Amino acid sequence: MALIAKYGLSIGSSINIKRSDGRVHAAAISGCNDDGGSVTVEWFENEEMKGKEVDFHGLIVLNSLQAVQPPASKPVAAVPAPAVPVPASSNSRERRKSPKAVRREVTNPPVKSQAPAPSKAPSKSEGIQPFQASNPNLKKGDKKIAMMIDDCRARMDIRPFPATQEVFMDKITVCVRKRPLFRRETDKGEMDCVTMPDGELTVVHEAKEKVDLTKYIENHEFRFDYSFEDGCDNEVVYRYTAAPLVRTIFERGMATCFAYGQTGSGKTHTMGGSGPTAPGVYLLAARDVFSLNAGQYAQLGLAVSVSFFEIYAGKVFDLLNKQKRLRVLEDAKNKVQVVGLSEKQVHSTAEVGQLLDLGSRCRATGTTSANAASSRSHAVFQIILRKSDARAKLHGKFSLIDLAGNERGADTANSDRQTRMEGAEINKSLLALKECIRALGRKGSHTPFRASKLTQVLRDSFINPRARTCMIAMISPGRASCEHSLNTLRYANRVKELAPGKRRQTAVPSEPAPEPEEDDDEEVVAAVSEEDQSSWRQDLAMLHMSIRSRGEADGEADGLFDFQEAVANLQEAEERMVEEHRAGIQFNKEMLMEEEKLLDDVESPQGDVEDYARRLDAILATKIEKLQHLRDNLSGFRTHLKQEESASKNVKQGMTLY
């Protein structure tokens, strides 16, 4: 080992070798003979593992290796990348590829060259991923797949994410982030099946098997605005995603940032961070809001407040008020109001962090077909700017959403009703979210925000003329998560394909927006009218017709359409039933007071028993009428329960539409 360690190499390191026919290609070091001055190397060729022993001195010359110098006593610390977005010049914008998403599924990714030129031993810091076929924990069958992936990567021009590149700000930005492969995963024989070679392209190496049991890999390529490799920290991700949106809310706009992906892919780490030393998007956005509010936009006189709630199975709960259930209604001006939602005024990131900790402890989690602790709800954290006068008019809002694990959307054929309804609601909300983002990019298009509770509470983020949206698709690199990662990337790819074709804009301050007309002082919150109640059905039907027209659903989707409608009807019936029951309890309280007064009257010296009998008969008749009405509603509610159960039997297991 000392022979190769002298040159910074170890078992598993990649190195170029020269074959007898003159070919030069990469191989992995699998053994070292210090006494003989040779090393054993392995490589994958023609679906076979090959290896041989070569003289190490020849490899030193071929790879231009140099002995590693001993480390300095006081190493110089690396200078972090600047936090302020760097404006882009017109020439640099021309060099960027088109923002329109491109998805290709090919057998081989881009090839750097047929015979790589000799070079120094590649390292991860140079963008070359280490060979993983040498992992001793790999199973015998998986080692062949690992060698195929290594061989594929050896032919790619892999470069680390260019963290100093310019920051762009589009109306809709879609990016993907890959989390690192954990040590416990590699110890169990897991392998990294995702490659991000250039900051925009994402390649998923899917292991497959032919009819004759021959193993092979299929490479799926996706291109987004940004592809963040596992070496990018939260600061880098924030700088290119949510940071350009902060100014939007100071300019009377609505900004929205979604984190989407499988549970365990890093959504919570990206949005919430991992302690004070590694803050997430929530705290980083709050930091910039406070900074701008105290500096560039101090003359606006704005107060900063936050709210934190979750949407679970079509119901809204306040995470800052002991999970109190909230009602989502539309007022007389057709504005969506979350009635009773707590809004806490804050003055520092420390206060924001305390509220985030409080709310995160209340969020619902549960077991799914893919994870034992999946996020069962969409968590919505909002940073709100209001005028700091008596009227406290809304100035701007930044909504940061940690979406439920997307694997829950496939649990629609589960035998448990609660799990089915969770999956159906997630399936519907993700579909509605995609269509609302599509409408955001097309002026004049109808926005089907009433199709789900998530899009309904985010209505202003889709219809505001200065609205901007960013989606961060989170993926796990392991082979076990390959199917979920592909589903995540395909969803994000559809969102980007639906975005309008446009030239990217640099993240520089824009001109102030014109002041909108002031609202009337009085805001009357009213129940949804009959016309509005029917519109959610229209929006849901529009979603189904839309995906059919684009060929994104086949005949098997009809069962899921019917099931989603049955679940929506059941949720509506449940709300009516609960309201009727609550009204019945209040009525009983009033009747109890009336009966106590009646007893006091009849037991008094002037009590009239005939009047007592007449009044008691009227009270009982009213109670019977109310109870019968409540029972009739209960019967209708049970009918919806049966319809939901019947519709669920026609849903194919794992079927999704988003």
Side-chain angles (χ1 to χ4, degrees):
M1 291 291 293
L3 178 66
I4 60 176
K6 181 180 178 181
Y7 294 90
L9 302 175
S10 61
I11 301 299
S13 294
S14 173
I15 196 167
N16 288 330
I17 65 171
K18 189 172 183 179
R19 302 288 294 279
S20 57
D21 58 2
R23 287 182 297 152
V24 177
H25 62 79
I29 299 176
S30 59
C32 177
N33 184 355
D34 290 340
D35 296 334
S38 63
V39 295
T40 305
V41 295
E42 293 181 348
W43 67 94
F44 190 79
E45 183 177 353
N46 296 329
E47 300 187 353
E48 292 183 3
M49 180 80 74
K50 295 187 178 182
K52 69 174 182 176
E53 188 173 1
V54 296
D55 178 62
F56 188 65
H57 178 73
L59 296 181
I60 294 175
V61 176
L62 178 63
N63 291 271
S64 302
L65 297 179
Q66 296 181 0
V68 177
Q69 298 296 327
S73 57
K74 293 183 179 181
V76 180
V79 179
V84 181
V86 180
S89 64
S90 58
N91 293 334
S92 61
R93 287 203 303 274
E94 293 174 359
R95 290 196 298 269
R96 287 283 287 189
K97 299 179 178 65
S98 171
K100 184 178 179 181
V102 178
R103 172 173 169 258
R104 294 178 291 163
E105 298 188 3
V106 297
T107 304
N108 292 308
V111 178
K112 179 173 61 176
S113 64
Q114 293 297 327
S119 62
K120 294 183 180 180
S123 65
K124 190 176 180 70
S125 62
E126 294 173 338
I128 305 298
Q129 302 199 22
F131 276 70
Q132 55 185 347
S134 58
N135 182 0
N137 298 311
L138 286 176
K139 297 178 181 178
K140 185 177 180 180
D142 292 343
K143 192 168 185 179
K144 190 173 184 179
I145 295 296
M147 287 298 294
M148 292 180 187
I149 296 175
D150 289 341
D151 180 64
C152 189
R153 286 174 175 158
R155 294 181 286 115
M156 299 173 68
D157 183 13
I158 299 178
R159 304 181 300 275
F161 183 84
T164 57
Q165 70 173 329
E166 59 272 16
V167 180
F168 295 97
M169 186 170 66
D170 296 332
K171 195 174 184 66
I172 302 172
T173 301
V174 182
C175 60
V176 59
R177 185 185 191 185
K178 165 190 169 183
R179 72 159 174 82
L181 198 64
F182 299 138
R183 178 63 180 270
R184 65 176 181 271
E185 293 175 310
T186 57
D187 290 345
K188 292 180 180 179
E190 184 62 280
M191 68 181 76
D192 187 344
C193 297
V194 178
T195 305
M196 295 180 170
D198 62 3
E200 290 185 357
L201 183 66
T202 298
V203 182
V204 179
H205 312 283
E206 183 183 15
K208 290 191 172 184
E209 196 172 66
K210 297 180 181 178
V211 178
D212 60 358
L213 304 183
T214 302
K215 296 181 182 295
Y216 70 101
I217 60 172
E218 183 176 357
N219 299 312
H220 306 266
E221 293 187 11
F222 303 85
R223 188 173 295 278
F224 298 103
D225 294 309
Y226 304 106
S227 290
F228 300 104
E229 59 180 348
D230 51 12
C232 298
D233 59 16
N234 282 352
E235 283 276 3
V236 173
V237 174
Y238 170 74
R239 179 171 178 256
Y240 289 92
T241 56
L245 306 182
V246 174
R247 293 183 184 274
T248 301
I249 65 174
F250 284 94
E251 298 166 357
R252 306 195 70 89
M254 297 290 176
T256 312
C257 180
F258 300 94
Y260 169 77
Q262 173 193 5
T263 301
S265 59
K267 298 192 306 295
T268 302
H269 170 73
T270 299
M271 302 302 286
S274 302
T277 58
V281 173
Y282 293 150
L283 286 178
L284 293 173
R287 177 198 67 188
D288 287 355
V289 167
F290 288 124
S291 176
L292 289 173
N293 194 41
Q296 182 177 351
Y297 296 97
Q299 74 281 3
L300 296 179
L302 300 175
V304 183
S305 59
V306 299
S307 63
F308 199 14
F309 60 93
E310 70 173 346
I311 303 172
Y312 169 64
K315 306 178 185 69
V316 182
F317 300 92
D318 192 345
L319 294 177
L320 300 182
N321 190 16
K322 301 177 182 179
Q323 282 190 302
K324 177 185 176 182
R325 185 171 175 181
L326 307 171
R327 300 180 67 194
V328 180
L329 304 173
E330 292 188 38
D331 61 21
K333 299 176 182 177
N334 291 329
K335 289 187 176 181
V336 176
Q337 305 285 348
V338 184
V339 182
L341 177 63
S342 300
E343 189 174 311
K344 309 286 187 181
Q345 189 166 347
V346 290
H347 304 87
S348 67
T349 54
E351 292 182 46
V352 174
Q354 292 174 359
L355 293 175
L356 283 171
D357 291 340
L358 173 65
S360 298
R361 288 195 295 268
C362 299
R363 191 179 176 190
T365 59
T367 302
T368 70
S369 57
N371 288 278
S374 172
S375 302
R376 299 190 296 172
S377 65
H378 305 304
V380 183
F381 180 74
Q382 294 182 323
I383 302 175
I384 304 163
L385 298 180
R386 294 185 182 276
K387 291 287 187 180
S388 54
D389 54 19
R391 301 180 68 183
K393 287 293 181 182
L394 178 66
H395 184 86
K397 185 189 298 181
F398 199 162
S399 299
L400 301 151
I401 301 99
D402 182 0
L403 295 170
N406 64 352
E407 75 280 359
R408 295 203 63 85
D411 291 331
T412 51
N414 194 288
S415 58
D416 176 69
R417 171 175 282 113
Q418 188 65 25
T419 304
R420 288 200 308 264
M421 294 187 66
E422 290 171 10
E425 183 63 28
I426 292 172
N427 199 319
K428 182 177 65 175
S429 62
L430 293 177
L431 175 61
L433 176 62
K434 181 183 68 175
E435 294 300 320
C436 285
I437 295 176
R438 173 178 181 265
L440 174 65
R442 298 187 178 183
K443 294 182 179 180
S445 297
H446 172 64
T447 305
F449 66 90
R450 291 189 182 94
S452 76
K453 200 69 71 177
L454 172 66
T455 50
Q456 187 179 10
V457 299
L458 296 176
R459 172 181 180 268
D460 291 344
S461 298
F462 300 122
I463 66 172
N464 189 288
R466 296 188 64 83
R468 294 187 183 277
T469 298
C470 173
M471 174 174 286
I472 309 174
M474 310 294 303
I475 58 174
S476 300
R479 180 182 175 184
S481 303
C482 186
E483 181 181 355
H484 292 294
S485 296
L486 283 172
N487 288 338
T488 298
L489 292 170
R490 285 166 181 155
Y491 177 84
N493 187 73
R494 291 191 188 108
V495 170
K496 193 59 185 175
E497 284 177 341
L498 297 172
K502 75 285 185 192
R503 184 65 258 168
R504 287 172 160 246
Q505 299 176 357
T506 56
V508 295
S510 56
E511 293 297 325
E515 291 289 324
E517 295 181 3
E518 290 291 333
D519 297 331
D520 295 334
D521 293 338
E522 184 179 4
E523 290 184 349
V524 181
V525 178
V528 181
S529 66
E530 290 296 327
E531 179 182 357
D532 290 329
Q533 287 183 8
S534 63
S535 67
W536 73 258
R537 291 186 174 88
Q538 296 171 1
D539 283 355
L540 187 60
M542 194 203 79
L543 293 183
H544 296 165
M545 288 189 298
S546 179
I547 63 173
R548 275 197 183 103
S549 65
R550 293 197 299 270
E552 296 176 10
D554 52 22
E556 293 182 344
D558 291 342
L560 188 54
F561 291 157
D562 296 338
F563 176 64
Q564 286 183 344
E565 186 171 1
V567 169
N569 287 328
L570 177 59
Q571 290 173 342
E572 187 181 46
E574 179 189 358
E575 290 184 4
R576 287 199 306 266
M577 186 71 233
V578 170
E579 287 301 315
E580 289 285 349
H581 191 189
R582 184 177 287 109
I585 293 174
Q586 182 62 33
F587 172 78
N588 286 337
K589 291 179 180 179
E590 296 172 359
M591 288 296 100
L592 181 60
M593 295 174 61
E594 184 70 23
E595 290 178 70
E596 289 177 349
K597 183 177 183 302
L598 179 59
L599 286 174
D600 291 341
D601 290 344
V602 74
E603 290 177 347
S604 66
Q606 295 81 22
D608 185 345
V609 293
E610 192 170 322
D611 179 66
Y612 166 76
R614 179 182 57 78
R615 290 167 61 189
L616 178 59
D617 182 66
I619 290 174
L620 293 176
T622 304
K623 291 176 70 175
I624 291 172
E625 181 182 357
K626 288 289 185 181
L627 288 173
Q628 186 60 47
H629 178 68
L630 185 62
R631 191 161 189 175
D632 291 341
N633 286 337
L634 178 60
S635 177
F637 179 62
R638 284 179 169 171
T639 300
H640 285 295
L641 287 172
K642 292 179 181 178
Q643 291 174 348
E644 182 274 335
E645 185 173 1
S646 176
S648 69
K649 296 177 181 178
N650 298 323
V651 179
K652 181 180 177 181
Q653 177 63 38
M655 181 76 178
T656 62
L657 293 175
Y658 51 83

